[in-house]
Amino acid sequence: MSRLIVVSNRVSVPKARGAAGAQGGLAVALGSALRERRGIWFGWSGEETPHFTGDLDMQRNQGVTTATIDLEHQDVEEYYNGYANRTLWPLFHYRIDLAEFERDFGKGYERVNQRFADSLYPLLESDDVIWVHDYHLLPLGERLRARGAKNRIGFFLHIPWPPTRLFVSLPYHDRLVRSMLSYDLVGFQTEEAVESFLHYCARELGADVDDAGTVRFEGRTTRVRSFPIGLDYDEFCEAGNSGEARNAQQRVLSSSRGRKVMIGVDRLDYSKGLPERFDSISRFFDAYPERVAETLYIQIAPPSRQDVSSYQRIREVLEGKAGQINGARSEVDMVPIRYVNRGYPRNALFGFYRAARIGLVTPLRDGMNLVAKEYIAAQHPEDPGVLILSRFAGAADQLGEALLVNPHSAEEVSEAIRVAQDMPLDERKERWQALRETVSSQNVVNWRRDFVNALAGD
Ligand code: ADQ
């Protein structure tokens, strides 16, 4: 079996099973693939260096070899905080109003992709299979080909691919997509993303695109397919057996004193629709004032990307909204919203999800959204809660038995909350059983197997 080389912006160093702060989903799935195939995980160390040397830090942990490089401060500013998180992330999440098109960001992005290729290339053996991840590294395959790599190289995008009309706002958009056609296989989360990408290739590049999703362009062939990512289902369910999970569940249940708990768990990111969600909850309390005292909303939102100003702003907006809702509706012994700005271990999250009668997952755009799947996995079979899910999350394609909503409509979300609160046990069970079947069978192990098989052909 050929070796697997995984490349992503950051590398997650594998930890022993059950170790404190053990990593979740992707790291677990990729770690087991790397172990099976004696592979290497390559990426940025997260550290800065005054002068880029390309020196590799190679380590072996839990049977997985990692190879990392340090980047210069300017690289981090232009490539990571700049092009990746200020240009591509907002644009790909349909937020062209937040996208910044700075020439230096683009240059830094190209420079770092070149640095990745220069450092990785000498590690490669001729039959290695290379799997590149996410929007930080769109042009990496082309850079490796330019160095002479003849390997099979695949790419998976974890976030949405925007419609052509939006994507063409990006300066040099064609250069980016041309570089992606150096890959043998390009994977997206959803069929919608596949269609948008193929539409772009045919319309803007004049590439030959067939019904099976094969793109032929300038002598190269690229297959394009959807591979919806799943949950590390077995590991996550195991988390439910931990004392930490039971304590977390108990903490929520005892402190909520019989109120119906709703939960949201999201990185503090404008794509997750948090201000809109808070407005919907406010609408719900206005429409059903008698339910304020019976309802508790817990929002867990750890800050992310604090170096980017749009992320600082969303934090302020949410603090304001949470304060307003609570200020207007709290009693001396009761607040309707608990807003928590921190992360929790996965074991504790399991317990929080289980304590919640309703899971609110309402991003404005999301590649997939694994929180929706975690919420389903954590429910008790005899008394499962109800998932309210944005139709704009990739997960909505698979999780049709959830209550699907338009997150921009406070009225629709508010009504879904009422329906979920009133849903009879039989209906909750019926919906949940179907959802659980999907989440358990379309899990991250199968996702990774499907992608690697499609790429390596074994
Ligand atoms: P993210 O945008 O990070 O990922 P998501 O899929 O929801 O979004 O994954 C978030 C992960 O972080 C979940 O496992 C969740 O449990 C965890 N998390 C969130 N809040 C947390 C908290 N307070 N404490 C601890 N953990 C927390 C990107 C794309 C998604 C895509 C994934 C995987 O944006 O659309 O599903 O990659 O491809």
Side-chain angles (χ1 to χ4, degrees), residues 89 158-159 189 229 265-267 272 300 302 342-344 346 349 353 366-371 374:
W89 177 275
H158 290 259
I159 67 175
Q189 301 271 26
I229 198 168
V265 174
D266 311 77
R267 269 189 312 102
K272 303 294 181 187
I300 299 176
R342 56 164 282 197
Y344 284 92
R346 280 162 73 74
L349 285 185
Y353 291 133
D366 218 329
M368 174 57 59
N369 195 296
L370 292 174
V371 169
E374 290 167 1

mmCIF file of all heavy atoms in Angstrom, residues 89 158-159 189 229 265-267 272 300 302 342-344 346 349 353 366-371 374, ligand 1:
data_model
loop_
_atom_site.group_PDB
_atom_site.id
_atom_site.type_symbol
_atom_site.label_atom_id
_atom_site.label_comp_id
_atom_site.label_asym_id
_atom_site.label_seq_id
_atom_site.Cartn_x
_atom_site.Cartn_y
_atom_site.Cartn_z
ATOM 1 N N TRP A 89 -12.004 33.187 3.282
ATOM 2 C CA TRP A 89 -13.061 32.723 4.205
ATOM 3 C C TRP A 89 -14.341 33.544 4.043
ATOM 4 O O TRP A 89 -15.418 32.964 3.811
ATOM 5 C CB TRP A 89 -12.548 32.721 5.651
ATOM 6 C CG TRP A 89 -13.605 32.312 6.641
ATOM 7 C CD1 TRP A 89 -14.543 33.135 7.213
ATOM 8 C CD2 TRP A 89 -13.869 30.997 7.140
ATOM 9 N NE1 TRP A 89 -15.371 32.402 8.055
ATOM 10 C CE2 TRP A 89 -14.978 31.099 8.020
ATOM 11 C CE3 TRP A 89 -13.284 29.745 6.932
ATOM 12 C CZ2 TRP A 89 -15.498 29.990 8.695
ATOM 13 C CZ3 TRP A 89 -13.817 28.641 7.613
ATOM 14 C CH2 TRP A 89 -14.908 28.766 8.472
ATOM 15 N N HIS A 158 -12.963 22.124 2.965
ATOM 16 C CA HIS A 158 -13.864 21.945 4.108
ATOM 17 C C HIS A 158 -14.971 22.990 4.160
ATOM 18 O O HIS A 158 -15.928 22.845 4.907
ATOM 19 C CB HIS A 158 -13.056 21.978 5.419
ATOM 20 C CG HIS A 158 -12.190 20.769 5.599
ATOM 21 N ND1 HIS A 158 -12.533 19.726 6.415
ATOM 22 C CD2 HIS A 158 -11.014 20.412 5.028
ATOM 23 C CE1 HIS A 158 -11.598 18.782 6.364
ATOM 24 N NE2 HIS A 158 -10.661 19.186 5.527
ATOM 25 N N ILE A 159 -14.819 24.067 3.426
ATOM 26 C CA ILE A 159 -15.798 25.166 3.492
ATOM 27 C C ILE A 159 -16.585 25.213 2.177
ATOM 28 O O ILE A 159 -16.274 24.463 1.248
ATOM 29 C CB ILE A 159 -15.079 26.512 3.803
ATOM 30 C CG1 ILE A 159 -14.178 26.964 2.651
ATOM 31 C CG2 ILE A 159 -14.249 26.377 5.095
ATOM 32 C CD1 ILE A 159 -13.541 28.346 2.857
ATOM 33 N N GLN A 189 -17.749 19.359 0.107
ATOM 34 C CA GLN A 189 -18.684 18.810 1.093
ATOM 35 C C GLN A 189 -20.038 18.444 0.467
ATOM 36 O O GLN A 189 -20.695 17.516 0.918
ATOM 37 C CB GLN A 189 -18.955 19.855 2.202
ATOM 38 C CG GLN A 189 -17.723 20.311 2.964
ATOM 39 C CD GLN A 189 -17.423 19.427 4.163
ATOM 40 O OE1 GLN A 189 -17.786 18.251 4.176
ATOM 41 N NE2 GLN A 189 -16.744 19.982 5.153
ATOM 42 N N ILE A 229 -18.266 15.280 4.910
ATOM 43 C CA ILE A 229 -17.483 14.813 6.066
ATOM 44 C C ILE A 229 -18.427 14.382 7.189
ATOM 45 O O ILE A 229 -19.532 14.927 7.333
ATOM 46 C CB ILE A 229 -16.498 15.902 6.552
ATOM 47 C CG1 ILE A 229 -15.399 15.290 7.436
ATOM 48 C CG2 ILE A 229 -17.204 17.011 7.300
ATOM 49 C CD1 ILE A 229 -14.242 16.243 7.722
ATOM 50 N N VAL A 265 -23.512 25.599 20.107
ATOM 51 C CA VAL A 265 -22.060 25.454 20.307
ATOM 52 C C VAL A 265 -21.391 25.834 19.000
ATOM 53 O O VAL A 265 -21.553 25.145 17.986
ATOM 54 C CB VAL A 265 -21.706 23.992 20.683
ATOM 55 C CG1 VAL A 265 -20.197 23.802 20.739
ATOM 56 C CG2 VAL A 265 -22.323 23.606 22.021
ATOM 57 N N ASP A 266 -20.720 26.961 18.985
ATOM 58 C CA ASP A 266 -20.142 27.439 17.724
ATOM 59 C C ASP A 266 -18.855 28.194 17.998
ATOM 60 O O ASP A 266 -18.773 28.911 19.000
ATOM 61 C CB ASP A 266 -21.074 28.461 17.053
ATOM 62 C CG ASP A 266 -22.501 27.998 16.954
ATOM 63 O OD1 ASP A 266 -23.230 28.030 17.981
ATOM 64 O OD2 ASP A 266 -22.906 27.617 15.859
ATOM 65 N N ARG A 267 -17.871 28.058 17.109
ATOM 66 C CA ARG A 267 -16.769 29.011 17.155
ATOM 67 C C ARG A 267 -17.378 30.387 16.943
ATOM 68 O O ARG A 267 -18.345 30.546 16.198
ATOM 69 C CB ARG A 267 -15.779 28.744 16.001
ATOM 70 C CG ARG A 267 -14.667 27.812 16.332
ATOM 71 C CD ARG A 267 -13.620 27.782 15.225
ATOM 72 N NE ARG A 267 -14.167 27.634 13.897
ATOM 73 C CZ ARG A 267 -14.309 28.620 13.017
ATOM 74 N NH1 ARG A 267 -13.920 29.851 13.323
ATOM 75 N NH2 ARG A 267 -14.813 28.384 11.835
ATOM 76 N N LYS A 272 -21.515 31.716 11.456
ATOM 77 C CA LYS A 272 -22.356 30.804 12.243
ATOM 78 C C LYS A 272 -23.739 31.395 12.558
ATOM 79 O O LYS A 272 -24.550 30.734 13.218
ATOM 80 C CB LYS A 272 -21.654 30.411 13.547
ATOM 81 C CG LYS A 272 -20.283 29.751 13.351
ATOM 82 C CD LYS A 272 -20.360 28.386 12.671
ATOM 83 C CE LYS A 272 -18.977 27.744 12.524
ATOM 84 N NZ LYS A 272 -19.002 26.496 11.732
ATOM 85 N N ILE A 300 -22.521 28.390 23.832
ATOM 86 C CA ILE A 300 -21.090 28.225 24.095
ATOM 87 C C ILE A 300 -20.344 28.649 22.836
ATOM 88 O O ILE A 300 -20.547 28.070 21.765
ATOM 89 C CB ILE A 300 -20.773 26.763 24.444
ATOM 90 C CG1 ILE A 300 -21.545 26.374 25.707
ATOM 91 C CG2 ILE A 300 -19.280 26.579 24.648
ATOM 92 C CD1 ILE A 300 -21.390 24.930 26.090
ATOM 93 N N PRO A 302 -16.487 29.795 21.865
ATOM 94 C CA PRO A 302 -15.103 30.191 22.126
ATOM 95 C C PRO A 302 -14.614 31.161 21.065
ATOM 96 O O PRO A 302 -14.897 30.970 19.877
ATOM 97 C CB PRO A 302 -14.334 28.865 22.045
ATOM 98 C CG PRO A 302 -15.188 27.967 21.213
ATOM 99 C CD PRO A 302 -16.605 28.412 21.388
ATOM 100 N N ARG A 342 -16.064 30.365 25.987
ATOM 101 C CA ARG A 342 -14.898 29.488 26.157
ATOM 102 C C ARG A 342 -15.153 28.134 25.507
ATOM 103 O O ARG A 342 -16.288 27.790 25.167
ATOM 104 C CB ARG A 342 -14.560 29.299 27.635
ATOM 105 C CG ARG A 342 -15.698 28.781 28.482
ATOM 106 C CD ARG A 342 -15.219 28.264 29.817
ATOM 107 N NE ARG A 342 -14.632 26.940 29.661
ATOM 108 C CZ ARG A 342 -14.426 26.104 30.671
ATOM 109 N NH1 ARG A 342 -14.731 26.459 31.901
ATOM 110 N NH2 ARG A 342 -13.914 24.910 30.466
ATOM 111 N N GLY A 343 -14.074 27.382 25.315
ATOM 112 C CA GLY A 343 -14.204 26.043 24.772
ATOM 113 C C GLY A 343 -14.328 25.029 25.894
ATOM 114 O O GLY A 343 -14.016 25.334 27.047
ATOM 115 N N TYR A 344 -14.829 23.859 25.582
ATOM 116 C CA TYR A 344 -14.924 22.770 26.554
ATOM 117 C C TYR A 344 -14.371 21.496 25.922
ATOM 118 O O TYR A 344 -14.436 21.333 24.703
ATOM 119 C CB TYR A 344 -16.385 22.525 26.947
ATOM 120 C CG TYR A 344 -16.928 23.549 27.901
ATOM 121 C CD1 TYR A 344 -17.571 24.679 27.422
ATOM 122 C CD2 TYR A 344 -16.777 23.394 29.273
ATOM 123 C CE1 TYR A 344 -18.066 25.647 28.294
ATOM 124 C CE2 TYR A 344 -17.263 24.349 30.147
ATOM 125 C CZ TYR A 344 -17.910 25.469 29.651
ATOM 126 O OH TYR A 344 -18.379 26.416 30.523
ATOM 127 N N ARG A 346 -14.358 17.678 24.640
ATOM 128 C CA ARG A 346 -15.452 16.989 23.932
ATOM 129 C C ARG A 346 -16.330 16.179 24.881
ATOM 130 O O ARG A 346 -17.538 16.071 24.675
ATOM 131 C CB ARG A 346 -14.875 16.096 22.834
ATOM 132 C CG ARG A 346 -14.511 16.897 21.598
ATOM 133 C CD ARG A 346 -13.574 16.131 20.706
ATOM 134 N NE ARG A 346 -14.193 15.024 19.971
ATOM 135 C CZ ARG A 346 -14.999 15.167 18.926
ATOM 136 N NH1 ARG A 346 -15.326 16.358 18.493
ATOM 137 N NH2 ARG A 346 -15.487 14.122 18.303
ATOM 138 N N LEU A 349 -18.809 18.534 26.250
ATOM 139 C CA LEU A 349 -19.797 18.928 25.228
ATOM 140 C C LEU A 349 -20.871 17.859 25.081
ATOM 141 O O LEU A 349 -22.053 18.162 24.949
ATOM 142 C CB LEU A 349 -19.116 19.132 23.866
ATOM 143 C CG LEU A 349 -18.297 20.399 23.671
ATOM 144 C CD1 LEU A 349 -17.803 20.472 22.224
ATOM 145 C CD2 LEU A 349 -19.100 21.655 24.001
ATOM 146 N N TYR A 353 -24.817 18.617 25.302
ATOM 147 C CA TYR A 353 -25.778 18.296 24.226
ATOM 148 C C TYR A 353 -26.904 17.419 24.766
ATOM 149 O O TYR A 353 -28.074 17.588 24.441
ATOM 150 C CB TYR A 353 -25.089 17.513 23.102
ATOM 151 C CG TYR A 353 -24.081 18.260 22.264
ATOM 152 C CD1 TYR A 353 -22.829 17.694 21.978
ATOM 153 C CD2 TYR A 353 -24.369 19.503 21.698
ATOM 154 C CE1 TYR A 353 -21.905 18.339 21.175
ATOM 155 C CE2 TYR A 353 -23.445 20.151 20.896
ATOM 156 C CZ TYR A 353 -22.205 19.565 20.637
ATOM 157 O OH TYR A 353 -21.294 20.198 19.836
ATOM 158 N N ASP A 366 -22.248 27.226 5.886
ATOM 159 C CA ASP A 366 -21.300 26.342 6.543
ATOM 160 C C ASP A 366 -20.983 25.206 5.577
ATOM 161 O O ASP A 366 -21.888 24.679 4.939
ATOM 162 C CB ASP A 366 -21.939 25.758 7.824
ATOM 163 C CG ASP A 366 -20.941 25.627 8.971
ATOM 164 O OD1 ASP A 366 -19.757 25.410 8.691
ATOM 165 O OD2 ASP A 366 -21.369 25.734 10.130
ATOM 166 N N GLY A 367 -19.692 24.852 5.497
ATOM 167 C CA GLY A 367 -19.318 23.753 4.598
ATOM 168 C C GLY A 367 -20.122 22.508 4.933
ATOM 169 O O GLY A 367 -20.832 21.950 4.097
ATOM 170 N N MET A 368 -20.026 22.073 6.200
ATOM 171 C CA MET A 368 -20.809 20.931 6.666
ATOM 172 C C MET A 368 -21.521 21.308 7.959
ATOM 173 O O MET A 368 -22.708 21.483 8.004
ATOM 174 C CB MET A 368 -19.883 19.715 6.876
ATOM 175 C CG MET A 368 -20.540 18.511 7.497
ATOM 176 S SD MET A 368 -21.969 17.910 6.594
ATOM 177 C CE MET A 368 -21.270 17.530 4.998
ATOM 178 N N ASN A 369 -20.772 21.450 9.044
ATOM 179 C CA ASN A 369 -21.173 21.678 10.430
ATOM 180 C C ASN A 369 -21.268 20.374 11.207
ATOM 181 O O ASN A 369 -22.224 19.612 11.084
ATOM 182 C CB ASN A 369 -22.476 22.459 10.595
ATOM 183 C CG ASN A 369 -22.581 22.958 12.033
ATOM 184 O OD1 ASN A 369 -22.673 22.151 12.965
ATOM 185 N ND2 ASN A 369 -22.507 24.242 12.225
ATOM 186 N N LEU A 370 -20.248 20.130 11.984
ATOM 187 C CA LEU A 370 -20.175 18.891 12.747
ATOM 188 C C LEU A 370 -20.911 18.977 14.071
ATOM 189 O O LEU A 370 -21.251 17.947 14.661
ATOM 190 C CB LEU A 370 -18.705 18.509 12.970
ATOM 191 C CG LEU A 370 -17.981 18.096 11.692
ATOM 192 C CD1 LEU A 370 -16.502 17.863 11.952
ATOM 193 C CD2 LEU A 370 -18.606 16.824 11.092
ATOM 194 N N VAL A 371 -21.191 20.199 14.538
ATOM 195 C CA VAL A 371 -21.936 20.338 15.790
ATOM 196 C C VAL A 371 -23.322 19.691 15.644
ATOM 197 O O VAL A 371 -23.807 19.004 16.547
ATOM 198 C CB VAL A 371 -22.050 21.820 16.205
ATOM 199 C CG1 VAL A 371 -23.038 21.996 17.343
ATOM 200 C CG2 VAL A 371 -20.667 22.357 16.609
ATOM 201 N N GLU A 374 -22.840 16.086 16.130
ATOM 202 C CA GLU A 374 -22.519 15.768 17.526
ATOM 203 C C GLU A 374 -23.789 15.814 18.377
ATOM 204 O O GLU A 374 -23.994 14.976 19.251
ATOM 205 C CB GLU A 374 -21.485 16.767 18.069
ATOM 206 C CG GLU A 374 -20.095 16.584 17.450
ATOM 207 C CD GLU A 374 -19.145 17.744 17.740
ATOM 208 O OE1 GLU A 374 -19.540 18.701 18.448
ATOM 209 O OE2 GLU A 374 -18.013 17.711 17.244
HETATM 210 P P1 ADQ B 1 -15.684 24.715 11.746
HETATM 211 O O1 ADQ B 1 -16.101 25.975 11.107
HETATM 212 O O2 ADQ B 1 -14.744 24.844 12.877
HETATM 213 O O3 ADQ B 1 -15.060 23.678 10.689
HETATM 214 P P2 ADQ B 1 -17.707 22.661 12.724
HETATM 215 O O4 ADQ B 1 -17.874 21.649 11.662
HETATM 216 O O5 ADQ B 1 -18.973 22.994 13.411
HETATM 217 O O6 ADQ B 1 -17.099 24.042 12.229
HETATM 218 O O7 ADQ B 1 -16.674 22.062 13.751
HETATM 219 C C1 ADQ B 1 -16.421 22.683 14.943
HETATM 220 C C2 ADQ B 1 -15.811 21.704 15.931
HETATM 221 O O8 ADQ B 1 -15.351 22.485 17.014
HETATM 222 C C3 ADQ B 1 -16.849 20.730 16.471
HETATM 223 O O9 ADQ B 1 -16.281 19.466 16.629
HETATM 224 C C4 ADQ B 1 -17.220 21.327 17.831
HETATM 225 O O10 ADQ B 1 -17.537 20.403 18.823
HETATM 226 C C5 ADQ B 1 -15.959 22.074 18.207
HETATM 227 N N1 ADQ B 1 -16.357 23.226 19.041
HETATM 228 C C6 ADQ B 1 -17.130 24.241 18.730
HETATM 229 N N2 ADQ B 1 -17.348 25.041 19.808
HETATM 230 C C7 ADQ B 1 -16.671 24.483 20.814
HETATM 231 C C8 ADQ B 1 -16.504 24.793 22.195
HETATM 232 N N3 ADQ B 1 -17.081 25.842 22.776
HETATM 233 N N4 ADQ B 1 -15.730 23.985 22.918
HETATM 234 C C9 ADQ B 1 -15.152 22.918 22.367
HETATM 235 N N5 ADQ B 1 -15.298 22.555 21.092
HETATM 236 C C10 ADQ B 1 -16.033 23.322 20.328
HETATM 237 C C11 ADQ B 1 -14.847 23.652 9.279
HETATM 238 C C12 ADQ B 1 -16.023 24.032 8.389
HETATM 239 C C13 ADQ B 1 -17.229 23.149 8.715
HETATM 240 C C14 ADQ B 1 -16.852 21.680 8.552
HETATM 241 C C15 ADQ B 1 -15.568 21.371 9.310
HETATM 242 C C16 ADQ B 1 -15.062 19.966 9.001
HETATM 243 O O11 ADQ B 1 -16.358 25.402 8.558
HETATM 244 O O12 ADQ B 1 -18.321 23.448 7.862
HETATM 245 O O13 ADQ B 1 -17.894 20.868 9.046
HETATM 246 O O14 ADQ B 1 -14.527 22.279 8.970
HETATM 247 O O15 ADQ B 1 -14.929 19.778 7.618
#
